[in-house]
């Protein structure tokens, strides 16, 4: 192990969308930030294929605009102009469209790979010290107001002494476990298969959610005409679908979804995600804080995971701004107070939806699912419920305006 521990203000563990975004914003405020990722920043084509397309609510888009990242993401985004909800075996359907809500789009779908690329570029410009292929190994005690941390890189170990550790290493966080923070955990009897298809007819910004007795099937519009499929079913059904040839799998999808967009053709690899609920019992420990999936892992039924996580990033970015000690106990307990109600509300709503999925003829919860995407834009809701539920006003938006634009801050090495 190398000799003296390296000092920094914040050591962020995990460069998923949450860790990468937070590290780059904190560096812009003048914090000295180190970011450790067990893989590499750009996961394609050499790393794991990232097949997801994130449905971002209008509130998340506003937040990314305020932080200065939306302009780079916009060319990769497809606006959702209509959400069409149906239930297999019934004629019932419900639609919500942007015009009736007096908005230009109900949300935007951005490929996860595009977010990875844009954030990798932002990190390069922001002065963050990025350690790729570096894994969290050990959490030590607090000494002289710094948390001791050991990281593993290619068999060797490096010691760090940050004022604050940010655990952003995903739902099965080793950092959270090392801090002794317990979680509420429920494995749903379901996995999601995620891949792209190309429909013969233009999607025209329509998103489709079809509820079947096995689970929800969503087709989200993507730029360039393809659609991102999120196909949820019990694990044995997913096993059987993974064992099919590509053409057999698409034929099964077509039979379930129908022909409203004409013939569907496969347009990429299939990835599989186990679905689970995770809620950390606390959001912080001494000089350590949790963000994103480390704090909350959700069923993807309403596409809320990253939307919720972006609000963690907004509040943390606001609370950790200089001057002063970023790991001070009051800042971390302010974060817990600010975030817990929003997290609890979204965890409860998505868990309710996930468990209602097999209720016959119940379109209402599914409409609620689509409606979650709109929560921050629907007029009558906006003034009270949405502003509090989405956690965007007034605290983060006001404080985020104080974050210097990219390139404006010199970060010392
Ligand atoms: C099928 C599916 C569809 C979804 N669709 C949507 C959607 O439409 N809209 C939406 O808002 N959300 C959606 N989500 C949720 C979204 O994927 C998550 O909220 C988001 O990925 C959380 O990002 P994160 O950075 O917290 O965690 P992750 O993306 O899990 O990133 C964690 C990072 O930490 C790294 N890491 C792990 N362990 C270590 C270690 N020991 N040391 C160093 N690094 C480590 C990992 O390599 C990874 O890069 C979906 C999720 C699923 C499963």
């Amino acid at each position: 192990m190398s000799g003296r521990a390296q000092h920094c203000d914040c050591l962020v563990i995990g460069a998923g969308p949450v860790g990468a975004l937070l590290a780059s914003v904190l560096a812009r405020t003048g914090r000295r930030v180190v970011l450790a990722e067990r893989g590499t920043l750009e996961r394609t084509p050499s790393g794991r294929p990232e097949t997801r397309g994130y449905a971002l609510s209008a509130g998340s888009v506003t937040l990314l605009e305020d932080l200065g990242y939306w302009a780079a993401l916009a060319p990769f985004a497809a606006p959702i102009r209509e959400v069409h909800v149906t239930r297999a075996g019934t004629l019932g359907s419900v639609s919500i469209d942007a015009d009736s809500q007096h908005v230009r789009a109900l949300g935007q779908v951005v490929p996860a790979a595009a977010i990875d690329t844009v954030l990798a570029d932002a990190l390069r410009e922001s002065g963050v010290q990025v350690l790729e292929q570096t894994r969290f190994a050990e959490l030590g005690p607090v000494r002289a107001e710094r948390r001791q941390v050991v990281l593993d890189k290619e068999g060797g170990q490096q010691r760090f002494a940050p004022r604050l550790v940010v655990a952003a290493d995903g739902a099965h966080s080793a950092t959270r476990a090392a801090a002794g923070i317990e979680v509420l955990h429920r494995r749903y009897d379901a996995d999601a298969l995620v891949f792209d298809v190309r429909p013969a007819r233009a999607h025209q910004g329509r998103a489709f959610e079809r509820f079947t007795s096995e689970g929800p099937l969503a087709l989200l519009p993507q730029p360039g005409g393809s659609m991102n499929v999120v196909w949820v079913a019990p694990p044995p059904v997913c096993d059987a679908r993974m064992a099919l040839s590509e053409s057999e799998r698409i034929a099964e999808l077509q039979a379930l979804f129908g022909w409203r967009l004409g013939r569907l053709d496969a347009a990429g690899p299939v990835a599989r995600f186990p679905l689970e609920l995770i809620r950390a019992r606390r959001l912080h420990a001494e000089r350590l804080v949790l963000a994103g999936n480390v704090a909350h892992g959700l069923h993807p039924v309403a596409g809320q995971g990253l939307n919720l996580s972006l609000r963690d990033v907004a509040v943390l970015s606001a609370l950790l701004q200089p001057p002063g000690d970023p790991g001070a106990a009051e800042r971390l307990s302010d974060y817990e107070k600010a975030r817990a109600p929003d997290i609890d509300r979204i965890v409860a709503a998505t868990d309710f939806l996930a468990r209602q999925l097999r209720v016959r003829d119940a379109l209402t919860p599914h409409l609620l699912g689509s409606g979650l995407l709109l929560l921050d834009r629907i007029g009558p809701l906006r003034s009270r419920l949405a502003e509090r539920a989405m956690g965007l006003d007034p605290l983060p938006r006001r404080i985020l305006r104080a974050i210097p634009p990219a390139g404006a801050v010199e970060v010392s090495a």
Side-chain angles (χ1 to χ4, degrees), residues 13-19 36-38 43 48 52-55 134-136 168-170 174 192 194 230 273 275 291-293 300 303-307 309:
I13 313 282
V18 170
E37 164 58 43
R38 68 179 171 186
R43 282 165 258 269
R48 67 183 154 94
R52 277 174 288 186
Y54 293 126
T134 302
R135 193 177 272 276
F136 167 82
D169 49 342
V194 182
V230 183
F273 297 87
L275 302 186
N293 268 18
Q304 284 300 300
L306 187 58
N307 288 296
S309 301

Side-chain angles (χ1 to χ4, degrees), residues 195-235:
F195 52 98
D196 286 351
V197 293
R198 184 165 293 282
R201 288 197 209 118
H203 56 59
Q204 297 175 319
R206 281 175 293 170
F208 297 89
E209 284 189 275
R210 184 156 178 78
F211 290 91
T212 76
S213 56
E214 289 169 351
L217 165 67
L219 274 77
L220 302 173
Q222 302 233 90
S226 65
M227 300 199 84
N228 189 242
V229 177
V230 183
W231 195 359
V232 174

